Amino acid sequence: MKIILLGPPGAGKGTQAKSISVKYCIPHISTGDIFRKNISEKTPLGVKAKNYIDAGLLVPDELTIDLVKDRLSKEDCKNGYLLDGFPRTVKQAEALDEFLNGRQESIDTALLIEVPRELILERMTGRRVCLACGASYHIKFNPPKNEGKCDSCGGELIQRKDDNKETVLDRLTVYDKQTQPLVKYYKSKNKLSIVDGALAIDKVFENVCSILGEQ
Ligand code: ADP
Ligand code: ADP
Ligand code: ZN
């Protein structure tokens, strides 16, 4: 199964991705997590990506597309994968289609998690993430069992530098301009499904499963 998760920052893509990945036994590929890992390890890719991410801008397509093609060519992607945060531009979506066409493959579903704007700021400023495994928590809506520690791996939870009000607002503008057009893109290819991301985390997951279960 090959799935794309679409939706604005704070929609709950990462949260749902962790559960989908376990249930359907497919790797969760988050370009944001890959960039953050590279930044913390100060790799050449991390050095290039850091300023864009801190400013709430997208990392250039060339860097991102090559990174994803590389990742999708790995052995663990043979039976499918879940893309979280990629594609984020029409150019990335076209590059992905071209890559898949060349392998006689295609995406099964682009799943859009919809949330009203007024929920996003509180979700983002209360988010805490585990740098080790990428799990995300919320101080109010999804707190970890032990404060500051990841339930899954025991890693330290941090607040992302780009999860402040000002950068979140910039990221939403970037989403509207550069990523939102993908909704139309996948709709025109009959690949789009939509879930209501305003519901509680478990309820959203139930609805996600009823969509993916039909595949
Ligand atoms: P995204 O990957 O789309 O940016 P996340 O999955 O990291 O979003 O979720 C953003 C924040 O909102 C996190 O703090 C997460 O715990 C919280 N969250 C996710 N889904 C829900 C939900 N359905 N209801 C309330 N809070 C949620
Ligand atoms: P969120 O889950 O809050 O939407 P991500 O963790 O997916 O955020 O992404 C964080 C940042 O990493 C983005 O604001 C952007 O700078 C960069 N990034 C992630 N994925 C991509 C992508 N596909 N193209 C360009 N930049 C990306
Ligand atoms: Zn963790």
Side-chain angles (χ1 to χ4, degrees), residues 7-17 84 88 113 115 119-120 122-124 126-129 134-139 141-143 160 163 171 196-202 204:
K13 301 180 297 296
T15 302
Q16 296 301 325
D84 163 12
R88 249 180 164 97
I113 307 182
V115 279
L119 294 186
I120 290 181
E122 191 183 7
R123 283 194 183 183
M124 298 297 273
R127 170 156 74 178
R128 299 292 182 271
V129 298
S136 82
Y137 298 87
H138 192 281
I139 49 173
F141 305 130
N142 185 23
R160 276 168 47 177
D163 278 352
R171 286 159 65 196
D196 179 1
L199 304 173
I201 293 175
D202 291 357
V204 178

Side-chain angles (χ1 to χ4, degrees), residues 50-94:
K50 187 176 187 312
N51 288 340
Y52 295 102
I53 293 181
D54 286 349
L57 300 171
L58 295 185
V59 177
D61 284 332
E62 306 77 65
L63 288 178
T64 311
I65 290 167
D66 283 348
L67 171 87
V68 173
K69 281 188 190 167
D70 242 37
R71 180 65 189 86
L72 298 186
S73 306
K74 298 241 157 80
E75 183 65 20
D76 67 334
C77 289
K78 243 180 33 203
N79 296 320
Y81 39 80
L82 174 62
L83 285 170
D84 163 12
F86 181 94
R88 249 180 164 97
T89 62
V90 171
K91 196 164 167 216
Q92 291 179 13
E94 287 169 350

Side-chain angles (χ1 to χ4, degrees), residues 130 132-135 137 150-155 157:
C130 172
C133 77
Y137 298 87
C150 176
D151 292 353
S152 319
C153 78
L157 301 184

